[in-house]
Amino acid sequence: MITKRIIPCLDVRDGRVVKGTNFQNLNDVSSPVELGKYYSDCGADELVFYDITASSDGRKLFTEILTQVAENIFIPLTVGGGINTVEDFDRVLKCGADKVSVNSGAIRNPDLIPRAAEKYGDQCVVISADVKRVDGQFRVFAKGGREDTGMEAISWIKRCVDNGAGEVVVNSIDTDGVRGGFDLELLKLVCDAVKVPVIASGGAGCEQDFVKLFREIPTIDAGLAASIFHFGQVKISDLKQTLKENGIPVRI
């Protein structure tokens, strides 16, 4: 049986891990190098590193701090932020990333996903969709949740997968940092629409939120969270033990 993955996320701004609510009011948390090593040592299955202002600032992702993170962890690393070209994929992968996450870059240039998938393989290309409800519709947002693209989210995600994205991270802006549970309505729609691994992001507040996620959406592959891990409300080892006790397969 395929185990469910537990993935901490490092939202990095100016070389520091930050966390906010609904993608706003960001507060300093820690060094990404120290925090990444901590999660690697504590049983996380993977790590996600987002340079959250690279796209909105119109610059390339910080590679120096990324290289340091990659050198200090022993789990798969997904990296995103300011990925606009195939050359950006190459640069990030050479820093130690295993997978590259795209959002705004793919919105601006839909050819980016098929070109990257052809060069590096589908398994390397992750579509990270920032999604929010607008007028009763799930919409895709760009530039770290700052810009409404006007595009319907489910059809956009499906198109990205059809074009070669091998994994989907669904970031619910509505539930981000609120700690009221994952956006199950949105996640069910995405899982029904695609046949690649889907990672749930945004809203985890306690261990039971993960139990509910994996029980109600058996096809979901992973749960991603930030603040509850960063601030110690939930320890990954305890979470995995709880999941195991609830019959949910995890790597202990």
Side-chain angles (χ1 to χ4, degrees):
M1 185 178 291
I2 297 176
T3 57
K4 303 300 184 183
R5 291 173 287 155
I6 302 300
I7 306 174
C9 177
L10 307 182
D11 293 324
V12 179
R13 180 185 66 179
D14 300 330
R16 295 285 295 177
V17 177
V18 295
K19 193 69 190 89
T21 303
N22 304 127
F23 283 32
Q24 298 179 358
N25 303 319
L26 302 175
N27 297 306
D28 184 87
V29 176
S30 180
S31 154
V33 179
E34 294 175 6
L35 205 52
K37 185 178 187 306
Y38 169 77
Y39 288 135
S40 179
D41 293 343
C42 287
D45 295 297
E46 296 186 17
L47 185 69
V48 169
F49 178 112
Y50 287 142
D51 186 337
I52 59 172
T53 56
S55 292
S56 60
D57 291 350
R59 60 169 171 77
K60 295 185 182 297
L61 183 145
F62 292 122
T63 52
E64 182 179 345
I65 195 79
L66 169 60
T67 301
Q68 293 178 45
V69 171
E71 288 174 347
N72 281 276
I73 67 173
F74 300 95
I75 52 178
L77 175 63
T78 298
V79 177
I83 307 297
N84 296 297
T85 65
V86 174
E87 289 72 28
D88 289 332
F89 268 77
D90 188 66
R91 186 167 51 87
V92 169
L93 291 169
K94 285 178 178 175
C95 288
D98 299 281
K99 293 180 280 189
V100 182
S101 175
V102 293
N103 182 1
S104 297
I107 292 168
R108 281 191 295 270
N109 177 17
D111 289 337
L112 177 59
I113 287 177
R115 289 181 60 211
E118 182 179 3
K119 184 169 184 179
Y120 299 108
D122 294 8
Q123 80 288 340
C124 182
V125 182
V126 180
I127 179 66
S128 177
D130 295 338
V131 182
K132 185 177 181 180
R133 291 166 177 80
V134 179
D135 298 328
Q137 183 186 59
F138 286 114
R139 294 264 189 89
V140 176
F141 277 65
K143 297 182 179 178
R146 296 168 179 81
E147 181 181 290
D148 183 355
T149 66
M151 293 190 299
E152 193 278 322
I154 309 304
S155 58
W156 162 248
I157 291 169
K158 188 175 187 307
R159 192 191 334 163
C160 291
V161 171
D162 290 343
N163 284 339
E167 189 168 73
V168 178
V169 178
V170 183
N171 306 300
S172 172
I173 297 175
D174 293 315
T175 61
D176 174 71
V178 178
R179 304 185 192 179
F182 290 98
D183 196 331
L184 300 180
E185 178 189 8
L186 170 60
L187 293 164
K188 285 176 182 176
L189 290 171
V190 175
C191 286
D192 288 344
V194 301
K195 302 302 181 186
V196 299
V198 176
I199 298 171
S201 173
C206 63
E207 291 181 357
Q208 287 304 313
D209 288 334
F210 287 87
V211 174
K212 186 175 182 180
L213 170 70
F214 293 126
R215 276 186 172 168
E216 296 205 11
I217 313 178
T219 54
I220 204 90
D221 286 80
L224 180 150
S227 57
I228 61 166
F229 295 144
H230 296 344
F231 300 119
Q233 283 96 342
V234 173
K235 292 185 177 180
I236 291 175
S237 57
D238 293 343
L239 170 58
K240 286 191 167 185
Q241 187 61 41
T242 296
L243 291 171
K244 183 179 179 182
E245 290 169 359
N246 280 272
I248 297 164
V250 290
R251 179 184 66 87
I252 299 294

